[in-house]
Amino acid sequence: MLCKKLLSKQFTLIVLGAALLTMGKVSAQALRIPQNTNFTSSVGRTVGTTNIEIKYSSPGVKGREGKIWGTDIAPYGFTVLGYGSNVQSPWRAGADECTTISFSTDVKINGKALSAGKYALFIAVYADSCTLIFNRNTDAWGSYFYRADLDVLRVKTIQQKNQPNLQERLIYSFANQTAESVEVALEWERWKIPFKVEVDLKKTTLADIRRQMSGAIGFDPASLEAAATWCLMNDTNYEEALNWIISASDPNLGGVNGFRTLSTKSKLLEKLGKTSEASKIWNEAIEKASTMELHAYGRQLLAQKKTKEAMAIFESNYKKSNGAWPTNAGMMRGLSATGDLKKALEHAKMALTQAPDETNKKFIESAIKQLEAGQALN
């Protein structure tokens, strides 16, 4: 009787063990346990309105310096990687799952166009060059099951070898950023593989402005004015900008029909070839402008090297305000820019008697010394 009970218990344990083994086989593919071998990483950068995001696994050199590139770790060209894969595959540009890179707008990679979207990033590594591969399959495990027919873009780049500092962990870095571009680079061991990402700043900014204006801020006069002014300053989208500035200056919508809105409206009408209407609106803008608004506008024109236009504004402001502060200072600046230093000095001396505070007084005193020395103002 005892023997039967023991045999029954042993049978139960065997069945339970087999069940656990079966469950292990079924769930092994879904189970993920954190490891310290390769670090899961992500980096990003914004260029203009374009968001760039890179997600990758970061392997370490781990004493393999000089044994990374052109080996089974990062093989040259395209090779069969094994483990069930029988296709010629490039390097996965990282470790574990494939590296992905996304762009929120259209971009150029080393001068070649790439549409907005998310891509797997592979690299065909060679001894003296690399080919960057942007591929549609972003869910792949590395590049083991690489499909060339899913490539969207291939572009060549030149790696920088023998970097002075050993980069132990593979990273993606950003450098040399401008308003319209940034250099992205894979850095590992003593190699750096760079590529340039460029954006169409005007096109992407306008698209972003339009997106924003379709929401709640499309009812905000200040935002409408800012959008119209941006279009004017960037010589684009005049028709839509005119509609925005008309709304921005509409009192029924909470807008103000003042110098800023009217002057912007006038310039947009001029850009659209409606010169007669533009002139009428401009005269209305001048009439409504405050002394300080006209002075600031004149200085803006000077900064843009539009000396003749700036002088006309300073003269108009001087007459309209009967020589009140800061119109003499404006005349001083305008006349100096035209080369009439004698008259500029006369207005500078009158401006000194009107200076409202110590800061302005010191500036005018410095300007007088410069003019008396026969030097034009900066």
Side-chain angles (χ1 to χ4, degrees):
M1 188 70 177
L2 181 60
C3 253
K4 286 183 179 180
K5 285 183 179 179
L6 287 172
L7 286 170
S8 177
K9 186 178 286 186
Q10 286 177 340
F11 179 78
T12 302
L13 289 172
I14 290 169
V15 171
L16 179 60
L20 288 171
L21 283 172
T22 303
M23 287 173 64
K25 288 179 181 178
V26 170
S27 62
Q29 290 182 337
L31 179 65
R32 298 195 181 199
I33 299 174
Q35 299 180 16
N36 293 321
T37 304
N38 303 315
F39 300 158
T40 300
S41 308
S42 64
V43 292
R45 182 61 60 93
T46 300
V47 182
T49 64
T50 303
N51 296 318
I52 304 169
E53 185 176 18
I54 306 172
K55 293 184 177 181
Y56 63 101
S57 288
S58 175
V61 175
K62 296 184 293 187
R64 300 175 292 182
E65 185 176 351
K67 301 175 182 178
I68 299 289
W69 309 106
T71 71
D72 59 353
I73 300 168
Y76 283 160
F78 294 76
T79 185
V80 175
L81 301 173
Y83 298 98
S85 167
N86 60 2
V87 296
Q88 296 286 328
S89 303
W91 181 47
R92 57 184 148 186
D96 299 334
E97 296 173 78
C98 67
T99 298
T100 63
I101 185 167
S102 63
F103 307 96
S104 63
T105 72
D106 296 348
V107 296
K108 286 185 178 179
I109 307 293
N110 285 359
K112 291 191 175 182
L114 181 64
S115 297
K118 181 180 179 181
Y119 303 95
L121 175 61
F122 304 123
I123 303 179
V125 179
Y126 299 97
D128 296 306
S129 68
C130 293
T131 299
L132 306 171
I133 302 171
F134 297 84
N135 185 281
R136 288 193 185 92
N137 185 7
T138 59
D139 297 318
W141 181 263
S143 56
Y144 286 90
F145 305 103
Y146 166 73
R147 286 177 53 186
D149 61 306
L150 296 178
D151 288 351
V152 176
L153 175 68
R154 290 189 179 189
V155 60
K156 184 178 178 181
T157 192
I158 304 298
Q159 64 267 49
Q160 299 168 11
K161 301 180 181 180
N162 304 315
Q163 295 295 295
N165 297 317
L166 175 71
Q167 180 61 49
E168 173 62 29
R169 284 281 171 183
L170 184 151
I171 63 169
Y172 282 85
S173 62
F174 298 92
N176 303 320
Q177 184 163 346
T178 69
E180 299 183 342
S181 67
V182 68
E183 180 186 278
V184 182
L186 181 154
E187 299 184 49
W188 193 29
E189 197 234 17
R190 294 191 184 273
W191 274 30
K192 182 177 182 180
I193 305 176
F195 57 96
K196 188 176 184 180
V197 179
E198 297 175 275
V199 303
D200 186 331
L201 186 61
K202 185 184 291 188
K203 179 181 177 181
T204 54
T205 301
L206 178 57
D208 191 58
I209 288 172
R210 282 173 164 163
R211 178 189 62 77
Q212 293 183 65
M213 298 311 292
S214 68
I217 67 169
F219 300 98
D220 175 48
S223 298
L224 287 160
E225 181 184 341
T229 301
W230 183 89
C231 292
L232 178 63
M233 298 298 291
N234 288 275
D235 295 315
T236 188
N237 199 41
Y238 301 136
E239 290 281 1
E240 193 169 19
L242 182 60
N243 288 330
W244 286 335
I245 202 64
I246 289 171
S247 296
S249 59
D250 187 345
N252 295 321
L253 300 176
V256 178
N257 209 15
F259 173 73
R260 288 202 317 270
T261 52
L262 288 171
S263 60
T264 300
K265 183 178 179 181
S266 172
K267 290 172 190 174
L268 286 168
L269 286 166
E270 189 173 353
K271 292 286 188 180
L272 291 166
K274 301 177 181 181
T275 53
S276 177
E277 189 177 352
S279 178
K280 179 182 176 182
I281 297 297
W282 177 249
N283 290 333
E284 186 181 347
I286 292 295
E287 285 301 313
K288 292 192 174 185
S290 69
T291 303
M292 289 305 300
E293 282 178 328
L294 281 181
H295 181 71
Y297 181 61
R299 291 190 60 180
Q300 178 185 328
L301 290 171
L302 273 186
Q304 295 170 355
K305 306 298 181 184
K306 296 179 179 179
T307 305
K308 184 178 178 181
E309 294 92 332
M311 193 64 229
I313 291 296
F314 289 135
E315 287 176 334
S316 175
N317 203 21
Y318 179 76
K319 292 175 184 177
K320 181 181 174 182
S321 300
N322 297 315
W325 174 265
T327 61
N328 275 299
M331 291 294 290
M332 171 193 74
R333 289 177 181 274
L335 288 164
S336 173
T338 64
D340 193 341
L341 303 189
K342 183 178 178 181
K343 284 188 177 180
L345 181 59
E346 292 175 6
H347 283 281
K349 289 179 177 178
M350 286 188 281
L352 182 61
T353 66
Q354 301 170 322
D357 52 50
E358 194 62 26
T359 300
N360 279 290
K361 184 178 179 182
K362 285 183 178 180
F363 168 73
I364 298 297
E365 287 174 342
S366 175
I368 288 172
K369 289 180 182 179
Q370 198 169 335
L371 291 167
E372 285 178 335
Q375 298 173 354
L377 304 177
N378 295 328

